[in-house]
Amino acid sequence: MPNALYLLLAATAAAAPYKCDVEHAFGATATYARRATLTVDPDRANHNKLKFAPDSLPLVGANATAFADLAKADGVYRIRVRREGARAWASASIRACDLAASNYEEDLSVALDARGDVVALAYRNARLEGCDAGAPGEDAALTSSASPALDAVAQVIPVQAKVARPPSGFGSVLPRDGGARP
């Protein structure tokens, strides 16, 4: 098979949409439970690259009770994501109180690696101030949205290579330390 065809097949396979398992837990020590599926489509524009299905979780019955107890205790709601079949999870947590104050709208930032795999999650709607720890209303539901985290360069350090040997004719002019200067 020609090399160009291998490259085409590899590029097509890498760019295909894939599904991720999404689990959640009501508390720092609570057991995770299945929540949804997150579809990642590396070829789509950033605003359409990530999609939860279902994108909401009604807070009724046991979910409502667990969330209300969590908010009263100033506990954290946790979520984690991994590619189907993968072993490593990316996770994030938010104070239940902050999630309630945002009308139960999860706003997640998802970091993707060069292959498009999920490597980190962060809530973008966390707050520092206090909030009301009331119980969810009858029609309350966690609604989830996600967008890719923007690439950020933390620090750029220019590299200057040492000259392996001086230009022709300058060998006897350079100091014995090889020309290093403070």
Side-chain angles (χ1 to χ4, degrees):
M1 199 178 274
N3 288 342
L5 184 56
Y6 281 126
L7 290 174
L8 177 64
L9 290 173
T12 303
Y18 65 89
K19 296 189 182 306
C20 296
D21 298 319
V22 179
E23 295 183 348
H24 69 142
F26 293 101
T29 58
T31 305
Y32 280 97
R34 178 113 173 106
R35 160 83 192 276
T37 299
L38 177 68
T39 301
V40 179
D41 189 345
D43 282 344
R44 298 190 110 189
N46 278 348
H47 68 283
N48 285 329
K49 193 177 292 281
L50 306 166
K51 179 78 173 141
F52 279 96
D55 64 353
S56 67
L57 173 74
L59 290 175
V60 295
N63 286 339
T65 303
F67 196 90
D69 292 346
L70 196 59
K72 286 178 190 167
D74 198 26
V76 293
Y77 173 78
R78 299 179 302 150
I79 191 168
R80 66 184 186 177
V81 176
R82 74 173 173 190
R83 189 174 190 154
E84 286 182 342
R87 294 169 60 190
W89 292 92
S91 62
S93 61
I94 186 171
R95 287 177 46 218
C97 202
D98 291 341
L99 197 50
S102 69
N103 293 321
Y104 306 100
E105 293 178 7
E106 292 180 291
D107 185 12
L108 290 165
S109 175
V110 180
L112 304 171
D113 66 9
R115 294 179 304 180
D117 289 343
V118 176
V119 294
L121 297 174
Y123 276 98
R124 292 191 293 209
N125 51 342
R127 304 169 341 132
L128 296 175
E129 47 198 70
C131 57
D132 180 20
E138 292 179 15
D139 59 344
L142 288 174
T143 56
S144 305
S145 64
S147 59
L150 299 176
D151 293 335
V153 176
Q155 184 177 16
V156 176
I157 301 172
V159 178
Q160 296 178 353
K162 272 190 165 183
V163 176
R165 58 179 197 186
S168 175
F170 287 92
S172 61
V173 177
L174 293 175
R176 289 187 181 185
D177 66 358
R181 300 284 184 260

